[in-house]
């Protein structure tokens, strides 16, 4: 497969007519409309490169594909053993920070996900055509570490490249064709799915992506069979944190939209921040004429489950959608929470259904067939009234026993999914176990698939296992510990390259961090926190606004600072507290304890590449922040072997 629109040795490029080179670029650019701006940019690039590459030996690529980002590098030049990634800004008179980040991002993507580039000498280069000369010699090492990009213009590219030897070359063909194994963020995955890319195009090709593809194929076959046999069907998909359940759901919605217009597949989530971020990301990335139109289109693909529910409270007709994907279905409300909400907020005194019961009833209105796909995250219920998987199975057993059930075997084999023997028995008798409905490999932490297992051991107070797993992940997934917030922030700044996103996160119960300037009760504008750039004080980059487990569940950062408070502290085991009024109160209810633990599970599995854990010092002059609420936790992390800053 050709990764670039054009590839030749530099000498062949110099000896080829400009119009022929442009013709090859135009011929390869078939997947989207070509505008005059792009044509003119190519013409200027060809002219600049022909002028600047005289007397240089090497290879040249135009429009080299970066699949995870859905973009292409303007040019790649290989001289000897050095690979230069060039981003041209034709007509530009300045070296803009956004453009510098863009080319650094390209280099990071190649380093992390292109096998031939893992150990290669990569150098990001920004060429602003009419910008002033910048001294580059002292920046070469920084550029190879992706801390900066080389800044050049149309007249000094050649002199910069001539200082690199053309000796010690490598196998160019092998490098070009080596495997590309990306792991997109959920925002990137949503954008790619919305643009009709299949999951196999944007994810890595190892176990994680194979698992995702097998799951997608399994679901597609189940939907086809339901349609063919006029059967109402529900599927339960499970997965470890970061395994790509949301990605699988988005891919299914995308696939079915392309299969048949009358299916009207939709991705639904009760996670308001996730929906808001994804809808905004799709709208910003859309080619629609107006932001309003783009937002409207995005909302047909991804919707808030509560809006869907409210629509069919009023409307007794079957929904338009034949295939619905419920993300984080374990967070649907039980009967008590739903009834209370309906009475308080909707004026429905007589409502006596759980949310899963009502949602199945809505889809059951279809006369012939329909499919519900429930994405279940075990151990991720984080709020009062979240029913878990049991409420879905109870509703099926009680009211919809004629529905066909396909399920991941884990929901009957692991207690934290279904805790009632009669529900397990019903599933086994009624359903069909499908091994491919479990996603077992984390694709969030591409640096180490064992991060979720490590966090599980930590929260289970399994110190020996946590120590063992930490030794296995520490070289690829840095975790550090500090008692100083400024030190933690500095570490994040030092780790991140290009536009890699970092942020400050904490449990919603971490109320006494307020004394140290971290107020978890302040609401953030989640779309701006996750999507806006480094110049916006509302973005995560500024490390001013803290996001809670409710803000970040289902989303991700590259690097995170996890701020720790006394609501979950270690003293010969984990202890649970809620801050009420002016003091901490012990939490003794098992369900409430589980919510607190799960909140920290969410926080500790948000970072794709590494995290710093900030456990502040106590203050004996403040009765709400005694040292014993912090020192034990700090020592627990130290005993595991976490590096102290």
């Amino acid at each position: 497969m050709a990764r670039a629109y054009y590839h030749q040795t530099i000498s062949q490029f110099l000896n080829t007519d400009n119009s022929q080179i442009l013709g090859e670029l135009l011929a390869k650019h078939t997947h989207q409309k070509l505008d005059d701006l792009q044509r003119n940019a190519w013409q200027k690039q060809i002219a600049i490169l022909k002028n600047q590459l005289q007397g240089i030996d090497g290879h040249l690529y135009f429009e080299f594909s970066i699949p995870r980002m859905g973009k292409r590098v303007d040019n790649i030049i290989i001289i000897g053993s050095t690979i230069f990634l060039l981003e041209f800004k034709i007509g530009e008179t300045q070296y803009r920070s956004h453009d510098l980040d863009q080319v650094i991002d390209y280099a990071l993507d190649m380093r992390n996900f292109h096998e031939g580039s893992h150990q290669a000498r990569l150098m990001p280069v920004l060429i602003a055509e009419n910008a002033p000369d910048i001294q580059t010699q002292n920046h070469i090492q920084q550029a190879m570490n992706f801390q900066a990009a080389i800044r050049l213009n149309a007249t000094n590219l050649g002199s910069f490249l001539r200082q690199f030897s053309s000796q010690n070359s490598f196998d160019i063909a092998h490098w070009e064709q080596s495997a590309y194994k990306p792991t997109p963020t959920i925002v990137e995955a949503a954008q790619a799915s919305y643009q009709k890319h299949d999951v196999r195009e944007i994810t890595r090709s190892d176990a994680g992506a194979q698992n995702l593809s097998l799951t997608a194929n399994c679901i597609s076959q189940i939907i086809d069979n339901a349609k063919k046999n006029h059967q109402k069907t529900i599927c339960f998909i499970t997965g470890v944190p970061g395994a790509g359940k949301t990605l699988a759901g988005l891919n299914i919605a995308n696939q079915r939209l392309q299969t048949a217009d009358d299916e009207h597949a939709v991705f639904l989530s009760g996670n308001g921040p996730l929906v808001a971020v994804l809808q905004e990301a799709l709208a910003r990335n859309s080619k629609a004429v107006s932001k309003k139109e783009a937002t409207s289109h995005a909302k047909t693909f991804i919707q808030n489950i509560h809006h869907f529910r409210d629509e069919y409270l009023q409307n007794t007709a079957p929904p338009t959608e034949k295939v619905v994907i419920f993300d984080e279905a374990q967070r649907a409300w039980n009967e008590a929470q739903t009834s209370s909400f309906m009475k308080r907020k909707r004026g429905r005194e007589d409502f006596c259904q759980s949310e899963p019961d009502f949602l199945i009833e809505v889809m059951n209105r279809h006369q012939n067939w329909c499919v519900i796909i429930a994405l279940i995250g075990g151990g991720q219920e984080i709020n009062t009234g979240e029913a878990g998987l049991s409420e879905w199975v109870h509703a099926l057993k009680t009211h919809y026993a004629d529905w066909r059930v396909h399920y991941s075997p884990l929901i009957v084999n692991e207690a934290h999914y279904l805790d009632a023997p009669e529900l397990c028995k019903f599933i086994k008798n009624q359903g069909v176990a499908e091994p491919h409905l479990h996603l077992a490999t984390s694709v969030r932490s591409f640096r180490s698939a064992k991060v979720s297992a490590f966090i599980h051991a930590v929260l289970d107070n399994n110190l020996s296992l946590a120590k063992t797993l930490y030794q296995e992940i520490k070289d690829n997934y840095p975790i550090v510990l500090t008692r100083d917030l400024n030190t933690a922030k500095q570490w994040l700044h030092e780790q991140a390259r290009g536009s890699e996103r970092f942020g400050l996160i904490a449990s919603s119960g971490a109320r006494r961090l307020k004394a140290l300037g971290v107020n978890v009760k302040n609401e953030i504008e989640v779309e701006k926190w996750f999507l806006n750039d480094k110049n916006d004080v509302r973005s995560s980059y500024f490390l001013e606004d803290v996001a809670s487990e409710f803000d970040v569940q289902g989303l991700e950062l590259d690097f995170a600072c996890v701020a720790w408070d006394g609501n979950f502290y270690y003293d010969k085991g984990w202890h649970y507290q809620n801050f009420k009024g002016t003091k901490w109160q012990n939490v003794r209810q098992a369900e409430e304890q589980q919510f607190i633990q799960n909140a920290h599970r969410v926080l500790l599995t948000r970072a794709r590449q590494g995290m710093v854990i900030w456990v502040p010092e106590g203050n004996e002059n403040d009765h709400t922040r005694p040292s014993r609420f912090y020192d034990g936790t700090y020592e627990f992390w130290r005993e595991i072997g976490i590096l102290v800053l």
Side-chain angles (χ1 to χ4, degrees):
M1 179 189 71
R3 294 194 186 276
Y5 284 5
Y6 175 91
H7 167 223
Q8 290 292 352
T9 64
I10 291 176
S11 63
Q12 288 171 316
F13 165 74
L14 293 174
N15 291 318
T16 303
D17 186 76
N18 289 15
S19 60
Q20 182 178 335
I21 298 169
L22 181 62
E24 289 191 41
L25 296 174
L26 295 172
K28 294 288 177 59
H29 193 80
T30 58
H31 65 290
Q32 55 184 305
K33 184 179 179 181
L34 180 73
D35 56 29
D36 289 339
L37 196 63
Q38 179 63 74
R39 179 193 292 268
N40 294 338
W42 279 337
Q43 289 176 322
K44 289 297 295 284
Q45 281 174 241
I46 293 169
I48 291 169
L49 289 168
K50 283 210 168 183
N51 177 269
Q52 293 292 305
L53 296 182
Q54 298 290 330
I56 295 176
D57 292 328
H59 288 255
L60 172 66
Y61 294 83
F62 273 78
E63 302 292 330
F64 193 93
S65 176
I66 303 287
R68 182 181 74 101
M69 305 174 78
K71 296 180 180 179
R72 292 178 174 273
V73 186
D74 285 343
N75 295 100
I76 286 181
I77 293 175
I78 301 177
I79 300 174
S81 59
T82 306
I83 301 169
F84 302 89
L85 294 90
L86 276 56
E87 178 64 21
F88 273 89
K89 296 301 176 184
I90 299 300
E92 184 58 74
T93 59
Q94 300 178 53
Y95 302 104
R96 300 186 184 277
S97 60
H98 175 79
D99 299 331
L100 292 163
D101 282 346
Q102 181 182 359
V103 71
I104 292 171
D105 287 347
Y106 290 159
L108 286 165
D109 203 89
M110 295 289 287
R111 168 63 51 81
N112 291 331
F113 306 121
H114 183 243
E115 283 191 341
S117 299
H118 287 341
Q119 305 301 324
R121 284 164 49 96
L122 299 169
M123 193 175 302
V125 179
L126 174 64
I127 302 172
E129 183 185 13
N130 300 318
D133 288 359
I134 298 290
Q135 205 281 331
T136 61
Q137 193 60 41
N138 296 332
H139 298 152
I140 290 175
Q141 191 58 50
Q142 283 185 312
M144 287 196 293
N145 292 335
F146 311 142
Q147 296 169 298
I150 298 297
R151 292 172 288 175
L152 301 172
N153 56 41
T155 64
N156 62 5
L157 171 62
S159 59
F160 173 76
L161 293 177
R162 286 188 185 91
Q163 65 185 301
F164 294 90
S165 171
S166 59
Q167 303 301 312
N168 302 317
S169 188
F170 55 92
D171 188 336
I172 301 292
H174 180 267
W175 170 83
E176 180 183 339
Q177 294 301 321
S178 62
Y180 184 81
K181 299 179 178 180
T183 57
T185 67
I186 192 59
V187 169
E188 292 166 339
Q191 291 171 333
S193 292
Y194 194 55
Q195 295 170 355
K196 310 304 181 188
H197 293 290
D198 186 84
V199 66
R200 284 159 290 204
E201 297 177 56
I202 59 170
T203 55
R204 66 199 209 191
S205 57
D206 59 2
Q210 290 172 24
N211 197 186
L212 280 166
S213 295
L214 290 170
T215 300
N217 293 339
C218 179
I219 289 290
S220 189
Q221 186 175 10
I222 289 169
I223 294 172
D224 289 339
N225 288 337
K227 188 174 183 178
K228 178 181 177 181
N229 299 319
H230 305 288
Q231 177 69 53
K232 295 172 183 176
T233 300
I234 189 167
C235 302
F236 294 110
I237 298 177
T238 59
V240 300
K245 294 181 292 294
T246 302
L247 172 55
L250 290 167
N251 190 60
I252 292 160
N254 172 45
Q255 281 186 337
R256 301 318 296 187
L257 282 169
Q258 296 182 67
T259 300
D261 291 339
D262 63 345
E263 287 187 10
H264 296 287
V266 66
F267 180 89
L268 300 174
S269 177
N271 183 340
L274 174 70
V275 172
V277 170
L278 294 184
Q279 287 179 346
E280 177 68 15
L282 296 185
R284 292 186 185 187
N285 201 48
S286 175
K287 302 299 188 290
V289 176
S290 68
K291 177 70 177 296
K292 183 177 180 180
E293 180 185 359
T295 302
S296 177
H297 289 168
K299 287 181 178 179
T300 64
F301 182 59
I302 297 173
Q303 296 178 24
N304 191 305
I305 195 172
H306 301 308
H307 298 166
F308 179 87
R309 176 201 64 201
D310 290 350
E311 165 69 21
Y312 292 103
L313 275 173
Q314 308 298 327
N315 183 355
T316 58
T320 304
E321 297 81 7
K322 288 291 190 71
V323 178
V324 295
I325 299 100
F326 292 136
D327 191 33
E328 296 181 20
Q330 80 281 356
R331 296 187 64 188
W333 290 341
N334 59 27
E335 182 178 333
Q337 184 75 4
T338 309
S339 298
S340 173
F341 174 85
M342 292 298 180
K343 182 177 181 180
R344 290 181 290 106
K345 300 293 187 179
R346 299 294 182 265
R348 296 283 296 268
E349 298 281 346
D350 58 345
F351 197 90
C352 55
Q353 291 176 278
S354 67
E355 200 165 36
D357 191 358
F358 176 71
L359 294 169
I360 298 173
E361 185 273 317
V362 169
M363 294 302 291
N364 196 54
R365 298 173 191 175
H366 285 292
Q367 294 300 307
N368 44 17
W369 74 279
C370 65
V371 176
I372 292 174
I373 297 156
L375 309 177
I376 306 291
Q380 293 189 39
E381 301 84 3
I382 58 174
N383 209 355
T384 302
E386 292 181 356
L389 175 60
S390 296
E391 199 65 52
W392 288 89
V393 179
H394 177 74
L396 289 166
K397 180 176 183 293
T398 307
H399 301 297
Y400 309 104
D402 59 326
W403 276 54
R404 189 167 182 80
V405 180
H406 295 262
Y407 65 94
S408 159
L410 266 72
I411 70 174
V412 295
N413 294 334
E414 294 192 4
H416 65 265
Y417 285 105
L418 281 177
D419 53 7
E422 68 275 12
L423 297 181
C424 288
K425 182 178 179 181
F426 169 79
I427 283 288
K428 289 179 180 178
N429 292 339
Q430 179 76 7
V432 178
E434 304 274 7
H436 294 320
L437 295 186
H438 177 65
L439 295 165
T441 304
S442 174
V443 294
R444 174 179 295 134
S445 302
F446 62 86
R447 294 197 179 279
S448 177
K450 294 185 177 180
V451 172
S452 62
F454 167 68
I455 298 306
H456 192 75
V458 167
L459 297 179
D460 278 356
N461 190 23
N462 189 336
L463 187 59
S464 61
L465 179 58
K467 287 180 177 179
T468 299
L469 289 171
Y470 176 66
Q471 292 303 313
E472 295 178 18
I473 69 174
K474 67 177 184 178
D475 292 336
N476 292 319
Y477 187 92
I479 304 174
V480 295
L481 179 66
T482 184
R483 309 211 75 167
D484 180 74
L485 181 56
N486 287 328
T487 300
K489 291 180 177 182
Q490 183 62 32
W491 185 85
L492 292 176
H493 282 287
E494 290 171 354
Q495 298 302 306
R497 305 285 188 265
S499 64
E500 289 178 334
R501 185 165 290 273
F502 52 85
L504 176 63
I505 59 179
S507 161
S508 59
R511 297 295 179 84
R512 293 309 298 141
L513 294 178
K514 181 180 178 181
L516 300 168
V518 177
N519 189 355
V520 296
K521 291 193 73 174
N522 279 350
E523 288 190 19
I524 66 171
E525 297 178 271
V526 67
E527 305 98 310
K528 296 178 176 64
W529 197 86
F530 269 106
L531 300 176
N532 288 14
D533 63 25
K534 297 175 182 177
N535 297 316
D536 193 322
V537 296
R538 299 165 297 180
S539 76
S540 66
Y541 292 115
F542 259 72
L543 299 173
E544 290 185 2
D545 292 329
V546 59
S548 75
E549 70 273 19
F550 300 111
D551 299 314
V552 301
Q553 188 175 40
L555 293 157
E556 56 217 337
L557 299 159
D558 287 295
F559 297 94
C561 171
V562 180
W564 213 281
D565 199 11
N567 61 317
F568 187 56
Y569 72 94
Y570 193 87
D571 182 8
K572 300 177 182 178
W574 292 109
H575 295 258
Y576 308 82
Q577 300 188 116
N578 280 332
F579 193 76
K580 302 286 187 181
T582 62
K583 62 182 180 180
W584 291 103
Q585 296 180 354
N586 290 327
V587 173
R588 292 185 171 85
Q589 269 193 316
E591 183 183 46
E592 291 295 323
Q593 290 181 351
Q594 194 66 56
F595 288 150
I596 294 172
Q597 186 183 99
N598 288 346
H600 287 79
R601 189 188 315 279
V602 168
L603 298 172
L604 291 165
T605 55
R606 286 314 92 190
R608 287 160 56 87
Q609 300 196 56
M611 62 180 158
V612 53
I613 299 168
W614 169 49
V615 183
E617 301 274 3
N619 185 338
E620 297 305 329
N621 294 321
D622 179 348
H623 71 277
T624 68
R625 296 190 295 123
S627 296
R628 66 186 183 88
F629 288 171
Y630 303 94
D631 291 352
T633 304
Y634 177 77
E635 291 302 327
F636 176 76
W637 286 110
R638 277 190 51 167
E639 190 172 353
I640 289 171
I642 304 300
L643 175 68
V644 176
L645 296 179

